[in-house]
Amino acid sequence: MKNILYISIISLVFAASIMSCSGDGKEQNPDRVTTLLDSVETLAANSLHAQALSLLDSSMVYAADNDTLKAYISAEKANNLVTMGRMTEALPLSRKAIDIGERLGDNDVLVNQYSAIGIIYRRLNCPDSALWAYNKGIAVAQKVDAKDYVANLYNNISVMFVEQDRYKEGVEYAELATKWAKEAKDSIEMYSALATKSAALLRMKRYSEASAAVSSEFHNILQLGYVPLTLKCASPMLRAFMEDGRTDSAQIYMQMVQPALQKADQTSNGVIGILEVQAALLRSKGDYGQELALWNRLDTLVKTNGGIPEERILFYKADCHAKLGHAQTAFELMTNAYNRADSMKNSGMSQQMTEFTIKYKTQEKELMIAQLAAERANQQALIAILLLILALLAAMVFFVLYRRHITRKENELALQRRFIEGLESERARLARELHDGVCNDLLGVQLALNSGQDNAQQMVRNIMTDVRQISHELMPPRFTMANIAQILSDYTGHLPVPDCKMEYHCTPEQDNALWNNIDSSVSFDIYRIVQELTGNIVHHAKPSFISVNMEQRDGHIYLSVENDGVVNDNDGKGIGLQSLSVRVKSLNGAISHTDIGDGRYRVEVTL
């Protein structure tokens, strides 16, 4: 059973109980108590259960006022007595532990003792009570997620099915126990279930499978050093070797089992199983007298143990008497054996076991359906979340695109507004020039004519030049007749700037094919940019020189206009710079203003 788990729990409760004792001669050193309980564990593991019981009895004096400790000690005593085959003595102790566990709601005690009392009932030929206990134990074990105890309980149920000659179901429950034991990482329960499966395969006469199931793991089983497990696993393996005619293998493995057999209590279940194999070895040698003596010994042992079904002992005893020529005795024993087997099969136990299997498989299907429903619900929730995320992403993308669209429209409106403002500013400038320049000059001509001055003719010529310049600024050039490089050359060459040196440079020069490739609308904007820059200098500065440079390279056009009149209008509020800035931006260009020193100023445009 689960000695290691319970000894550790007893240690905590027992130590707390001892620390609370005073003045009554019961107080003990906690280290001594721990040593005592460690000794109980070691003795139980080595099948020295009588000594373990003695130590547990000596500890009961400290549990007078501690029900939890009483339950644990009673449970451990019951477990040791079960292993020793003393089922009648174990039963009241197991019941006591269960009663206390039920009252205290202690699931650890309950899950352990429902398993133990199930074994007790089965060995005392009360299979219906055993099945009830296993059902209760599984319910509690699954409730507290005690996978090792679930494995133990299913293993015990498997044994019941095997004993009722329902071997296929016995194998199924043994494999189920193995599954739970692996999840619990419990090697003892895993190999114990393997032994039960081997016993079922043995009864099904699948001898090679039965022996191989254990022999392939027997080295690992021996390494655990747990005597009861070693004997339990060896018994079906040795019997399978015998039934398969492999007596040599049986003898080899029997020698490997001897150290564990010598350590074990001779009344324990494991020893009884090995004695049954020895009886088979005697039968194989034809020594029926010794075999009969051994079966009589086993018959005495199982009166309290129940380790071997009574009808099986009766069958083998009858067979021995028949081989020895005791026909009447053989007949009587065989009749008793058949009657005993029939009473077990007709007791209604078979129906209960069938109902248990149906109930278990129904629960498994219901659990599977519930799991599938939960998985489907989770998938639907995940899909809903993904759809929500996609909807949010789509909304975000739509919002971003919408904001970009709105921003682009706002920028376009701003550019259009600034362009119109620039045009209005340009018109206002031209109006002022006409009013302040041409109109005033005409007034001067009138005054000169009225006074008889002789400079009226020159004044008229100056007015004609100004009007021609204004007209030239208003009229767009014809790019069908020339490219932008040629038009700028003509424009700068005829720009009327008194006492000012006008320079124009174009790179590459004389490459009309390259400049002809520039679109006429772009050429017009370039022309207006240069016109605006030079016109701003002419009208608002007194430069001694103006230099216009235009260069085309790497898919870009670079303009620079430099003068020494220093007109700094980079705040963007000047007459022409508003429309100039709009033109540059409409061409994805950039404009910069630089004071290069020595009274010189440069405007650079990159298109």
Side-chain angles (χ1 to χ4, degrees):
M1 296 295 290
K2 303 296 179 183
N3 290 333
I4 294 176
L5 174 62
Y6 273 84
I7 290 297
S8 62
I9 297 175
I10 292 173
S11 299
L12 297 175
V13 181
F14 196 16
S17 176
I18 290 174
M19 295 302 290
S20 66
C21 296
S22 61
D24 55 2
K26 297 177 184 178
E27 186 173 358
Q28 297 287 336
N29 188 310
D31 291 337
R32 182 179 177 186
V33 174
T34 302
T35 302
L36 177 72
L37 297 176
D38 287 342
S39 299
V40 171
E41 178 185 345
T42 302
L43 291 169
N46 288 280
S47 293
L48 300 176
H49 301 289
Q51 293 91 322
L53 286 171
S54 177
L55 289 178
L56 287 168
D57 285 336
S58 67
S59 67
M60 187 62 79
V61 67
Y62 302 106
D65 301 318
N66 192 322
D67 284 343
T68 302
L69 189 55
K70 283 182 185 178
Y72 286 135
I73 293 176
S74 298
E76 279 304 308
K77 289 184 67 177
N79 292 341
N80 278 273
L81 288 168
V82 168
T83 306
M84 296 171 70
R86 293 159 61 179
M87 303 300 166
T88 305
E89 297 173 68
L91 183 59
L93 287 168
S94 185
R95 284 175 173 170
K96 179 181 179 181
I98 288 174
D99 289 341
I100 298 174
E102 292 282 5
R103 189 172 71 252
L104 298 178
D106 193 324
N107 290 321
D108 290 328
V109 170
L110 293 176
V111 74
N112 178 278
Q113 284 307 292
Y114 277 129
S115 176
I117 203 169
I119 295 174
I120 294 169
Y121 282 132
R122 178 169 58 82
R123 296 287 176 81
L124 293 178
N125 295 317
C126 301
D128 51 345
S129 298
L131 195 61
W132 166 83
Y134 293 148
N135 269 298
K136 294 281 286 186
I138 289 173
V140 177
Q142 290 182 333
K143 176 182 177 182
V144 298
D145 196 30
K147 293 183 174 63
D148 50 349
Y149 281 105
V150 176
N152 177 267
L153 288 158
Y154 277 129
N155 190 24
N156 291 336
I157 292 169
S158 174
V159 172
M160 287 188 63
F161 276 95
V162 173
E163 290 180 350
Q164 290 293 311
D165 299 333
R166 297 174 65 163
Y167 308 125
K168 182 179 178 181
E169 290 164 294
V171 171
E172 290 176 357
Y173 281 105
E175 291 175 345
L176 186 61
T178 302
K179 168 182 169 291
W180 281 91
K182 287 181 178 179
E183 290 185 12
K185 296 182 174 58
D186 190 326
S187 299
I188 292 176
E189 285 300 339
M190 183 176 69
Y191 291 132
S192 180
L194 192 65
T196 305
K197 180 179 179 180
S198 176
L201 293 170
L202 174 67
R203 301 287 186 86
M204 297 168 74
K205 298 183 180 181
R206 293 158 61 177
Y207 304 127
S208 297
E209 295 177 60
S211 59
V214 175
S215 62
S216 61
E217 296 288 342
F218 199 65
H219 177 73
N220 295 329
I221 294 169
L222 291 174
Q223 289 293 320
L224 292 175
Y226 189 51
V227 172
L229 178 67
T230 300
L231 298 179
K232 179 177 182 180
C233 293
S235 180
M237 177 186 66
L238 293 172
R239 290 175 58 196
F241 280 137
M242 293 298 301
E243 296 290 347
D244 205 21
R246 299 164 63 185
T247 55
D248 291 342
S249 296
Q251 292 286 2
I252 292 171
Y253 279 93
M254 182 68 79
Q255 291 299 319
M256 296 171 66
V257 172
Q258 287 304 313
L261 189 63
Q262 292 172 5
K263 292 180 181 179
D265 190 321
Q266 295 305 299
T267 62
S268 66
N269 304 326
V271 171
I272 289 174
I274 299 301
L275 291 178
E276 188 176 2
V277 176
Q278 289 180 347
L281 284 170
L282 291 170
R283 188 185 318 116
S284 69
K285 297 176 182 179
D287 194 347
Y288 303 113
Q290 289 294 327
E291 182 189 357
L292 179 60
L294 189 52
W295 280 115
N296 286 329
R297 178 186 171 190
L298 287 168
D299 194 13
T300 302
L301 291 173
V302 300
K303 294 299 183 185
T304 56
N305 187 303
I308 303 175
E310 184 180 353
E311 63 270 18
R312 190 157 84 230
I313 296 176
L314 291 172
F315 276 124
Y316 281 116
K317 287 174 67 175
D319 185 62
C320 288
H321 279 289
K323 296 287 177 57
L324 292 170
H326 309 150
Q328 182 61 36
T329 304
F331 176 76
E332 292 174 358
L333 290 171
M334 189 66 70
T335 300
N336 288 338
Y338 277 114
N339 290 337
R340 176 64 184 168
D342 289 341
S343 67
M344 284 296 296
K345 291 181 179 179
N346 295 326
S347 65
M349 183 61 194
S350 179
Q351 178 63 28
Q352 291 183 46
M353 295 176 72
T354 299
E355 291 174 357
F356 176 85
T357 299
I358 293 172
K359 177 182 176 182
Y360 164 74
K361 291 185 176 180
T362 301
Q363 289 176 341
E364 286 289 293
K365 289 179 180 178
E366 289 176 349
L367 179 61
M368 185 179 295
I369 291 171
Q371 289 175 341
L372 290 173
E375 290 177 1
R376 183 176 180 183
N378 291 336
Q379 290 175 351
Q380 290 176 341
L382 181 60
I383 291 172
I385 292 172
L386 290 175
L387 289 175
L388 179 60
I389 293 172
L390 289 174
L392 290 174
L393 288 174
M396 290 175 62
V397 171
F398 175 78
F399 178 76
V400 170
L401 293 176
Y402 176 75
R403 287 300 306 165
R404 288 183 178 178
H405 174 73
I406 294 299
T407 302
R408 185 169 62 251
K409 288 296 184 182
E410 289 175 349
N411 291 336
E412 289 176 356
L413 288 173
L415 288 173
Q416 292 173 1
R417 185 165 51 253
R418 293 175 64 184
F419 184 73
I420 292 171
E421 289 173 355
L423 292 178
E424 292 298 326
S425 297
E426 180 66 12
R427 289 172 181 173
R429 180 180 69 80
L430 293 173
R432 284 195 300 272
E433 289 188 2
L434 289 172
H435 180 273
D436 297 340
V438 175
C439 290
N440 287 336
D441 288 345
L442 288 174
L443 180 59
V445 171
Q446 183 180 6
L447 293 175
L449 291 173
N450 292 337
S451 62
Q453 295 180 11
D454 57 1
N455 63 344
Q457 187 175 3
Q458 182 59 41
M459 293 175 64
V460 171
R461 284 197 293 269
N462 291 337
I463 291 172
M464 291 176 62
T465 300
D466 291 340
V467 171
R468 188 182 299 110
Q469 179 61 32
I470 293 173
S471 175
H472 192 65
E473 291 180 3
L474 290 174
M475 292 294 295
R478 293 185 178 181
F479 290 99
T480 56
M481 306 299 295
N483 57 48
I484 183 62
Q486 295 168 335
I487 288 176
L488 285 182
S489 177
D490 178 70
Y491 170 76
T492 55
H494 292 85
L495 188 65
V497 189
D499 302 323
C500 178
K501 181 181 179 182
M502 188 73 201
E503 295 180 353
Y504 170 73
H505 300 284
C506 177
T507 305
E509 294 184 87
Q510 307 301 324
D511 192 347
N512 291 329
L514 183 63
W515 293 108
N516 286 338
N517 289 331
I518 299 176
D519 187 81
S520 60
S521 61
V522 175
S523 297
F524 177 75
D525 282 325
I526 294 173
Y527 175 78
R528 287 303 190 195
I529 289 170
V530 174
Q531 187 183 54
E532 185 64 47
L533 288 172
T534 54
N536 197 38
I537 294 170
V538 169
H539 292 98
H540 299 283
K542 296 180 179 180
S544 62
F545 83 94
I546 299 175
S547 176
V548 177
N549 292 277
M550 183 172 66
E551 181 180 1
Q552 184 180 174
R553 70 174 185 274
D554 302 327
H556 293 77
I557 295 175
Y558 300 92
L559 288 172
S560 68
V561 179
E562 185 178 331
N563 77 97
D564 59 354
V566 189
V567 177
N568 189 347
D569 200 8
N570 58 3
D571 60 356
K573 297 180 181 179
I575 295 173
L577 289 184
Q578 291 185 27
S579 59
L580 175 64
S581 177
V582 172
R583 290 189 189 277
V584 172
K585 288 183 179 179
S586 69
L587 296 175
N588 295 319
I591 185 170
S592 62
H593 310 263
T594 307
D595 187 345
I596 60 177
D598 296 331
R600 301 173 68 181
Y601 186 73
R602 180 187 300 154
V603 178
E604 295 179 324
V605 177
T606 302
L607 305 175

